[in-house]
């Protein structure tokens, strides 16, 4: 019951962030589960894989709730979604297969380095040239492949990459956040299925694990998150754009520091 309450509380935080920043919540879920799962007696060799797989499964639900809230405010570019989704699905499936054979330490360090780069870029608030626009079909497909591959390694819905990518191409921040939430759904669904498949029959899995997806953690996170996503989406459409960008960057840097700490200390 104590662990379930922790999952529930974490899910409530994830819901606000999913609505506010367009992220599925993986940058919160993965570090949180990395902390809780060892306390629950899970094998150290399985902690990161279970954290990533469970994160993907939870993002399936948080992204649906977030998309509905943003779309109601006209904040989703479905043309961008159609341009990146096929490549995202293919790259995420491939990446989840590769990640299943990688060590927990490598995945944690990769995750922390990735977050650091994204956070610094957002904190610096570098502005693109006014003439910069979204790439064509081939460019969108390439971006989708990169987002899907990296997301499959770190268990995120892609918001920490797709939001900076879109704003760098002069897509308004609020629209980038809403579109990112939509992009997160195919990433999460494909990633969850990949981690279930590649974790099926793996030794030392805990009871109630479906491959690399831990069902009690999934239920708690989803229950806490779906109720708070509308609050985050409402805040995203009220805050000033510059404040939203800097909050996003600061949040990501804090998560990166937390992950580095768990690896080296």
């Amino acid at each position: 019951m104590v662990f379930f309450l922790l999952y529930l509380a974490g899910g409530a935080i994830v819901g606000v962030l999913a609505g506010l920043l367009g992220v599925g919540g993986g940058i919160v879920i993965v570090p949180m589960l990395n902390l809780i799962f060892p306390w629950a007696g899970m094998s150290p060799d399985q902690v990161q894989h279970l954290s990533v797989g469970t994160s993907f499964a939870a993002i399936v639900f948080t992204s649906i709730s977030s998309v509905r809230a943003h779309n109601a405010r006209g904040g989703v570019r479905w043309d961008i979604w159609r341009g990146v989704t096929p490549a995202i699905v293919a790259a995420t499936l491939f990446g989840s297969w590769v990640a299943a054979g990688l060590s927990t330490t490598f995945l944690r360090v990769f995750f922390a380095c990735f977050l650091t780069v994204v956070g610094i870029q957002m904190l610096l608030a570098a502005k693109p040239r006014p003439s910069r626009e979204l790439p064509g079909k081939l460019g969108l497909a390439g971006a989708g492949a990169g987002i899907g591959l990296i997301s499959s390694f770190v268990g995120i819905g892609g918001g920490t990459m797709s939001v900076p990518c879109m704003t760098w191409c002069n897509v308004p921040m609020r629209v980038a956040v809403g579109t990112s939430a939509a992009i997160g759904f195919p990433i999460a669904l494909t990633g969850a299925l990949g981690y279930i498949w590649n974790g099926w029959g793996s030794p030392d899995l805990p009871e109630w694990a479906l491959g690399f997806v831990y069902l009690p953690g999934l239920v708690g996170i989803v229950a806490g998150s779906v109720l708070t996503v509308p609050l985050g989406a409402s805040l995203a459409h009220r805050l000033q754009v510059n404040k939203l960008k800097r909050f996003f960057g600061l949040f990501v840097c804090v998560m990166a520091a937390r992950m580095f700490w768990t690896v080296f200390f």
Side-chain angles (χ1 to χ4, degrees):
M1 180 58 69
V2 172
F3 292 120
F4 185 79
L5 290 176
L6 289 174
Y7 301 139
L8 198 66
I13 297 171
V14 165
V16 173
L17 293 174
L20 178 62
L21 302 177
V23 298
I27 50 178
V28 176
I29 298 172
V30 174
M32 177 187 73
L33 295 181
N34 264 270
L35 183 64
I36 297 174
F37 282 169
W39 293 351
M42 297 185 188
S43 169
D45 293 335
Q46 302 284 11
V47 165
Q48 184 68 13
H49 297 84
L50 283 164
S51 298
V52 173
T54 305
S55 171
F56 271 132
I59 292 169
V60 170
F61 298 93
T62 58
S63 62
I64 291 173
S65 183
S66 183
V67 169
R68 291 180 61 187
H70 282 287
N71 194 50
R73 294 174 170 84
V76 179
R77 283 276 302 269
W78 291 106
D79 58 321
I80 298 176
W81 185 88
R82 289 189 293 270
V84 301
T85 295
I88 279 177
V89 170
T92 305
L93 277 174
F94 173 74
S96 63
W97 173 73
V98 173
L102 297 175
S103 70
T104 289
T105 299
F106 174 84
L107 290 174
R108 286 183 177 179
V109 171
F110 182 89
F111 182 74
C113 290
F114 163 73
L115 289 182
T116 301
V117 172
V118 172
I120 291 174
Q121 188 269 329
M122 295 299 286
L123 280 174
L124 292 176
K127 294 183 178 180
R129 295 192 306 270
S131 60
R132 189 185 300 275
E133 297 179 351
L134 286 165
K137 292 182 178 179
L138 187 60
L140 285 175
I147 291 170
L149 185 63
I150 295 176
S151 296
S152 66
F153 283 1
V154 298
I156 60 174
T160 47
M161 288 175 290
S162 58
V163 170
C165 180
M166 283 185 279
T167 57
W168 189 246
C169 295
N170 287 303
V171 175
M173 181 66 180
R174 293 183 181 89
V175 176
V177 168
T179 306
S180 171
I183 291 171
F185 176 77
I187 296 177
L189 181 60
T190 307
L193 292 174
Y195 272 81
I196 290 172
W197 175 266
N198 290 293
W200 198 269
S202 181
D204 300 324
L205 287 176
E207 189 178 7
W208 299 107
L210 188 65
F212 287 132
V213 173
Y214 184 58
L215 296 180
L218 171 62
V219 172
I221 292 167
V222 170
S225 65
V226 294
L227 298 176
T228 56
V229 164
L231 172 61
S234 177
L235 289 173
H237 287 264
R238 293 179 184 176
L239 292 176
Q240 295 179 4
V241 172
N242 288 337
K243 289 183 179 180
L244 189 58
K245 283 185 176 180
R246 288 188 169 85
F247 180 80
F248 186 101
L250 179 61
F251 170 76
V252 168
C253 285
V254 170
M255 290 297 101
R258 175 71 182 83
M259 288 299 293
F260 276 124
W261 179 268
T262 62
V263 172
F264 296 111
F265 298 97

